[in-house]
Amino acid sequence: MPESSHAAAGHPVAHQFDTAEQQYEASQLGMWLFLVNEVMFFGGALAAFLVSFVLYAPAFEDASNHLSLPLGALNTVVLLTSSPTMALAVHAAQTGERQGQVRFLFWTLLLGLVFLVVKAYEYSHKFHEGLVPGPWFDYAGPQAAEHELFLSFYFALTGLHALHMVIGIGILAALIVMARRGRFDAGYFTPVELSGLYWHF
């Protein structure tokens, strides 16, 4: 195990674990179980969207024109770019390169903020156009109910994703502070590695 020496390096093993390896493996298992739970949660929501799309395909296709392809593409590029920077941060932590940890964690955090700014701009545009489901919905075109359903899925799914991004950015900020203090090295990098798994998801 790569973290077998972390107790000797000043990173004590928690009292409920017998060895550093056991602690590391439990942390890994816990994160993977959490991610499986997230996959099931988002999978259920996406399945509900798919069923609704099959039932109301023409209206959903028309409603998708309310979304901005350029902004969606931009945020996709931002997210895809943040994944390698997070992977580089994990590698820097595994090799004990403190400056690399801080630098790549910072870039990942910055890309996360760019994503949220773009998403906030998209949301404000939807508010301005009266396309927010609920009492603010003001779409006068045909099949308004189906358009509202499509946008309900849009706000629910992207809102949940944005919430995960906010949490991730908070975690990254904490990791940057810890990395600057030299908390991670080749013997102990579990928080960075597990945060990387969360971020990639």
Side-chain angles (χ1 to χ4, degrees):
M1 264 312 139
E3 299 210 343
S4 60
S5 64
H6 81 304
H11 306 285
V13 177
H15 66 87
Q16 66 267 35
F17 300 107
D18 295 327
T19 64
E21 290 85 354
Q22 185 186 52
Q23 179 171 267
Y24 176 74
E25 291 170 1
S27 300
Q28 286 277 331
L29 177 62
M31 177 53 76
W32 280 111
L33 288 174
F34 170 76
L35 293 179
V36 167
N37 178 68
E38 292 286 279
V39 168
M40 293 172 64
F41 179 75
F42 277 99
L46 290 171
F49 173 81
L50 179 60
V51 170
S52 299
F53 179 82
V54 170
L55 292 174
Y56 310 111
F60 271 37
E61 289 175 9
D62 187 46
S64 69
N65 292 322
H66 296 305
L67 307 182
S68 170
L69 181 60
L71 291 178
L74 172 61
N75 257 355
T76 299
V77 171
V78 168
L79 282 181
L80 291 177
T81 304
S82 74
S83 197
T85 59
M86 187 68 222
L88 288 168
V90 173
H91 180 264
Q94 291 172 336
T95 56
E97 186 187 349
R98 185 185 304 183
Q99 289 185 346
Q101 295 170 43
V102 174
R103 180 170 63 251
F104 291 121
L105 286 170
F106 172 79
W107 278 110
T108 306
L109 185 150
L110 184 61
L111 289 166
L113 288 174
V114 170
F115 175 91
L116 290 177
V117 168
V118 172
K119 187 56 64 181
Y121 175 79
E122 284 187 277
Y123 280 7
S124 66
H125 191 60
K126 297 294 180 290
F127 272 100
H128 180 72
E129 293 184 324
L131 295 175
V132 178
W136 308 279
F137 194 69
D138 186 28
Y139 175 71
Q143 298 179 301
E146 289 80 3
H147 278 240
E148 186 173 15
L149 178 61
F150 174 86
L151 289 164
S152 295
F153 277 114
Y154 166 77
F155 277 100
L157 290 168
T158 60
L160 283 169
H161 182 230
L163 175 61
H164 282 74
M165 293 290 291
V166 170
I167 295 170
I169 287 171
I171 292 171
L172 289 173
L175 290 176
I176 289 171
V177 172
M178 296 169 71
R180 290 186 57 152
R181 294 175 178 173
R183 292 283 300 277
F184 311 121
D185 52 38
Y188 179 70
F189 48 81
T190 302
V192 182
E193 184 176 49
L194 298 187
S195 299
L197 290 174
Y198 175 88
W199 192 264
H200 297 316
F201 169 81

